[in-house]
Amino acid sequence: MAEHSEITPPESSNIGIEDENQPKMESLGKSPSSSDLKYLTWLVLLAQAFGLSAVVLVAVWMGHFQNGFSWQSNPDLEFNYHPLFMIIGMIFLYSDAILAYRVFRNDKKIYVKLLHTGMHVCALLFAAVGLKAVFDSHNLPAKPKPNLSTLHSWVGLIAVVLYGLQWLGGFFCFLFPKAGMATRIMMMPHHQFWGMAIFGFSVAAALMGITEKAILSISKPVSYFGKPPEGLVANFLGLMILGLATTVIYILSRPEYKRPPSPDEEHLQLQEN
């Protein structure tokens, strides 16, 4: 799970215990203005535009330029599910799960937690099928190809394994059965850091994979370096992923966009980050 909850600090401590008779404080000591939230809305829409554009571009690339999709009966075409499903799962759904606490900032926390968790489950399922597709495409042909031979494959596999471990840690620590407060306080900075780090790994793996696939599949005399239409699709796909990652990181870096504590939350607040 990418990002979960942040301990709300009081003025003199890192552990926030609020006085019932005092007003609750936002992360910056003030409520965000309506203009702040207006910008948040536009930024989230921009992130969705980048993410959906990336999904459409990879589908066009694999479906139109790379001859479509098949399953184990045609391992070469089965490979085409790999970039599609990895970008849907490890880029688009992952980024949306990260943003859930910003978008649904005023909804009941347990519902946002369940949405956050469910989106990560969907991302993991897409990633699992995407990994099966690439391993099948290497192992099933008459002349098998070596697995895990490139930097792209190493970084990508590391990202998926860490993502699964991050999800398990977040589930058992913050959702069910939910660890004690001291453990959650200790784990929260690590959970937040690794959520963003794994997202960075996923973006890096995607960009390396796009370049690798483009160089290997767009062959002479229509070379990738001659900027044919297929090469332009691949390049714009990479730019959409970079745009999505930049927008998501910017949103997460703005303290005024953090979820405010709501009246029905515990006195020892867990403010969604």
Side-chain angles (χ1 to χ4, degrees), residues 107-228:
D107 293 275
K108 195 169 182 179
K109 182 165 61 175
I110 185 61
Y111 298 145
V112 186
K113 278 187 179 183
L114 292 173
L115 175 65
H116 178 78
T117 304
M119 293 178 76
H120 280 306
V121 170
C122 292
L124 278 170
L125 290 174
F126 273 105
V129 177
L131 285 178
K132 177 172 173 54
V134 71
F135 279 111
D136 281 353
S137 72
H138 288 179
N139 297 331
L140 296 181
K143 293 183 178 180
K145 305 171 186 176
N147 290 305
L148 301 174
S149 59
T150 65
L151 180 60
H152 159 69
S153 62
W154 291 11
V155 175
L157 187 60
I158 288 170
V160 174
V161 171
L162 289 177
Y163 189 41
L165 294 175
Q166 169 84 343
W167 187 90
L168 287 174
F171 181 80
F172 288 111
C173 188
F174 300 107
L175 185 63
F176 181 83
K178 187 182 286 189
M181 183 58 66
T183 302
R184 282 182 280 166
I185 291 170
M186 178 187 69
M187 289 297 298
M188 183 52 56
H190 304 288
H191 186 69
Q192 292 171 345
F193 167 78
W194 281 107
M196 289 308 303
I198 297 165
F199 183 61
F201 293 169
S202 300
V203 170
L207 296 178
M208 286 188 285
I210 290 167
T211 304
E212 180 182 308
K213 177 64 176 173
I215 290 173
L216 292 176
S217 65
I218 305 175
S219 58
K220 295 179 179 180
V222 183
S223 169
Y224 167 61
F225 301 102
K227 294 187 288 188

